[in-house]
Amino acid sequence: MKYNGTHLFQKIYDYAIHRIESGEWKAHDKLPSVRSMAEKMKVHRLTVLKAYQLLKDQKKIYVKDRSGYFVRPEGLQTIDPSDNPIVSSFLYKNHLSEIHQIEVDYQFSKALINPNLLPNHFFAEFLKDVLLKEPEMIGTYSSLEGDLELREQLAAFFAEQSDIHVHSDELLICSGSQSMISLVAQTFLKRGDMVLLERPSYSMAIDVFLREGAQVETVDISPTGYDMEEIEEKMKQHRPKIFYLNPTFQNPTGYTVPSKQRKQLVELAEKYPCLILEDDTQYDMYFEQKPPAPVFAYDTEGYVIYLRSYSKYICPGLRIAVAACRYPLMKHLKIAKSLADNGVPLVNQKMFLPYFFSERMQLHIEKLRIALAVRKELMEAELAHSNWRWQSPDGGLNLWIQLPDRLPVDKLLSLALKNSISFVPGEICDPLKENRSWIRLSYSFVSESKIQSGVSKLLELAKEIET
Ligand SMILES: Cc1ncc(COP(=O)(O)O)c(C=O)c1O
């Protein structure tokens, strides 16, 4: 991220406050000197001084003449973080969930599958049988890495379906891929480390990396993928610890990175040692053609952590996802997972296993692809009456749309919410928070009939603003 003066100051403030709040810096501990902090964080000394001054004004630290700054005993507990604009905007922010919490009739902000598109009744019947056959599973913990049978079957399935060749020991079952993004960030990053993100990117991943105190650099993603020279330049110059990417039907854009670039990415990760976190949550949601093999398929040296989630389109109630990586990385991930939750509930895994591999389930995925393609086409047909621009995706759940210059996103969003329509403003998907002209419209949650009426209403509101 190109920090301007304000951002730099917030970075220092954020760094210190996290340490105080987490207890890493205890009461009466001495803070790093202004000079050493400025050198460490590569900022001017005045910036550090300004941040320390604010901490002092807020009674989180105190000064001893000539000795420096120290943590005040009461620290943060006396202050409600939501009262402080810097704390509330930089600690534990989840921009997407704030929008999702707004109740509206037309939910174009939720990139979730409408529950009516999932075979819930069939699944309920199925669950009863599984439970009755193996009731002892309720009284048993799962192993840390996840049920062996499930991992073995997933390994075989990956080899057949996605050119991924893994041993069951290279798989770790997790509860939704979001938990794994967070765990990877916690495990492999230190505050101030550099992370490379696609621009735009999945909003809840951006928020995870910011929460960890990462510095952020970006590379644009376009309908043809990345500019590989730009990536190499950024890796060379900034030495990011992690490159987080979502290369298949990317959220929010729907763009897919081509095979050649996937292969080159692994080469770059090896050349400038950088961990690639490949988030492949939408892999199965293609409309016609299967997407290219994942980046992970090219990883022989252990630079990629691959995430595949089944929480969205199989059964959100079970939230099964899986992480794949080679041994040295897996060792660290397992330790981190043991400290975080010690494994996913066994019942969820045992129920997922036969259901996922059943014929009915595979049929369901086929039907779901068609249902999503129809919804996408309905939305595009309605949008064709506007001068909005987008690239039609080959899979996924969203349209990434550029609005005309004279239609400000914030005005449209506020008018839309008043009229019970929500969507995601592009700004929250932008790690640099500068994007002012794009929006994400999801077609997966709203019913077919509501897609037409909702988009038509939204276009009318846009006209109101433009005229
Ligand atoms: C790109 C991306 N990654 C991760 C997630 C989180 O998925 P899960 O439900 O598996 O936690 C989502 C959900 O929207 C997503 O779009």
Side-chain angles (χ1 to χ4, degrees):
M1 186 187 294
K2 303 267 182 310
Y3 285 103
N4 60 29
T6 317
H7 278 115
L8 286 171
F9 156 73
Q10 284 165 338
K11 187 172 79 161
I12 306 299
Y13 179 93
D14 183 37
Y15 180 91
I17 205 89
H18 264 92
R19 270 146 212 259
I20 296 170
E21 206 187 19
S22 66
E24 188 181 331
W25 291 352
K26 299 192 175 38
H28 306 296
D29 274 359
K30 188 168 184 223
L31 270 68
S33 71
V34 171
R35 177 154 46 122
S36 66
M37 182 69 120
E39 275 167 11
K40 180 179 167 60
M41 303 296 272
K42 300 195 177 50
V43 299
H44 197 277
R45 285 187 216 170
L46 283 176
T47 310
V48 178
L49 203 60
K50 202 170 136 200
Y52 280 10
Q53 193 60 42
L54 178 64
L55 289 163
K56 182 171 149 283
D57 292 348
Q58 292 174 336
K59 307 207 173 357
K60 288 166 192 138
I61 61 175
Y62 63 96
V63 192
K64 264 200 251 170
D65 276 350
R66 294 173 199 278
S67 324
Y69 292 86
F70 296 81
V71 178
R72 254 178 92 97
E74 291 86 9
L76 265 179
Q77 289 89 313
T78 54
I79 291 161
D80 176 356
S82 60
D83 288 336
N84 179 312
I86 295 171
V87 177
S88 63
S89 65
F90 277 83
L91 289 182
Y92 312 126
K93 194 91 178 158
N94 180 341
H95 294 83
L96 200 56
S97 92
E98 281 173 21
I99 292 190
H100 288 166
Q101 278 160 22
I102 305 171
E103 283 294 323
V104 290
D105 290 337
Y106 300 96
Q107 270 288 6
F108 295 127
S109 63
K110 281 192 178 167
L112 300 178
I113 308 283
N114 187 309
N116 293 329
L117 290 176
L118 300 172
N120 300 321
H121 289 292
F122 165 74
F123 185 48
E125 285 302 314
F126 197 84
L127 290 192
K128 267 197 283 178
D129 289 350
V130 175
L131 264 181
L132 288 175
K133 256 191 226 150
E134 287 185 74
E136 64 281 2
M137 73 171 86
I138 306 262
T140 317
Y141 277 121
S142 162
S143 62
L144 167 66
E145 44 282 290
D147 182 57
L148 179 60
E149 195 186 355
L150 175 58
R151 285 182 290 122
E152 282 174 349
Q153 290 211 25
L154 278 174
F157 179 74
F158 279 160
E160 189 190 309
Q161 186 224 26
S162 335
D163 290 332
I164 296 179
H165 298 279
V166 275
H167 189 269
S168 54
D169 289 349
E170 294 170 318
L171 296 179
L172 180 62
I173 307 294
C174 46
S175 189
S177 51
Q178 184 68 35
S179 69
M180 200 44 84
I181 298 172
S182 187
L183 202 66
V184 168
Q186 282 169 17
T187 309
F188 295 101
L189 282 181
K190 285 196 309 297
R191 196 153 288 281
D193 278 348
M194 183 63 77
V195 169
L196 199 53
L197 295 178
E198 294 162 329
R199 186 172 186 222
S201 186
Y202 169 50
S203 152
M204 279 167 62
I206 301 175
D207 289 340
V208 163
F209 292 115
L210 291 181
R211 183 202 60 191
E212 291 306 310
Q215 297 191 60
V216 172
E217 266 297 330
T218 61
V219 287
D220 289 346
I221 178 163
S222 75
T224 52
Y226 311 121
D227 173 344
M228 296 308 293
E229 280 175 19
E230 186 193 1
I231 294 186
E232 172 146 25
E233 193 47 45
K234 297 242 159 143
M235 283 192 174
K236 198 194 266 178
Q237 197 185 337
H238 300 287
R239 300 288 167 161
K241 277 270 181 70
I242 295 180
F243 181 11
Y244 165 80
L245 44 111
N246 177 209
T248 312
F249 314 130
Q250 196 238 22
N251 182 358
T253 60
Y255 306 154
T256 293
V257 174
S259 293
K260 190 171 165 205
Q261 295 183 3
R262 292 174 184 234
K263 189 164 178 273
Q264 286 171 338
L265 267 180
V266 175
E267 290 161 9
L268 287 180
E270 289 173 14
K271 187 166 170 191
Y272 303 98
C274 173
L275 171 63
I276 290 187
L277 178 54
E278 181 182 19
D279 181 351
D280 214 4
T281 39
Q282 314 289 345
Y283 180 90
D284 290 299
M285 287 301 100
Y286 54 88
F287 301 139
E288 280 176 20
Q289 266 204 326
K290 239 165 81 163
V295 176
F296 180 62
Y298 303 99
D299 179 42
T300 49
E301 303 299 312
Y303 283 86
V304 183
I305 295 178
Y306 179 71
L307 300 182
R308 179 81 72 87
S309 174
Y310 297 106
S311 101
K312 271 214 167 129
Y313 51 88
I314 305 293
C315 26
L318 297 184
R319 299 219 63 207
I320 294 294
V322 59
C325 57
R326 307 296 172 200
Y327 171 73
L329 288 173
M330 183 54 87
K331 185 177 129 197
H332 294 290
L333 266 192
K334 278 192 196 170
I335 293 170
K337 181 129 180 70
S338 70
L339 295 174
D341 63 13
N342 229 350
V344 172
L346 183 62
V347 177
N348 295 14
Q349 302 178 58
K350 286 288 189 197
M351 288 183 172
F352 174 81
L353 176 87
Y355 178 56
F356 181 68
F357 295 103
S358 69
E359 219 173 284
R360 172 70 194 259
M361 189 62 233
Q362 298 309 322
L363 264 175
H364 154 68
I365 296 185
E366 288 294 322
K367 279 193 190 158
L368 186 57
R369 286 189 190 118
I370 297 170
L372 289 173
V374 167
R375 278 159 197 251
K376 179 197 79 155
E377 281 162 21
L378 279 174
M379 185 172 265
E380 291 185 320
E382 214 45 53
L383 286 168
H385 304 300
S386 73
N387 55 353
W388 298 6
R389 292 191 304 166
W390 69 96
Q391 172 81 25
S392 187
D394 299 323
L397 314 177
N398 310 302
L399 293 186
W400 180 241
I401 299 173
Q402 187 171 28
L403 303 185
D405 285 346
R406 58 183 184 285
L407 180 59
V409 173
D410 51 349
K411 271 199 183 161
L412 183 63
L413 182 59
S414 108
L415 193 58
L417 289 173
K418 280 187 198 137
N419 286 272
S420 214
I421 303 173
S422 70
F423 60 81
V424 172
E427 191 182 346
I428 71 168
C429 308
D430 178 7
L432 306 186
K433 302 285 177 258
E434 284 166 3
N435 182 319
R436 301 275 185 268
S437 58
W438 293 76
I439 64 170
R440 190 192 80 181
L441 281 189
S442 301
Y443 44 79
S444 55
F445 193 74
V446 177
S447 68
E448 285 181 20
S449 59
K450 276 190 159 180
I451 286 184
Q452 281 174 310
S453 54
V455 173
S456 150
K457 252 183 166 196
L458 187 62
L459 293 178
E460 277 168 30
L461 299 175
K463 263 194 211 142
E464 257 178 54
I465 295 173
E466 284 179 295
T467 49

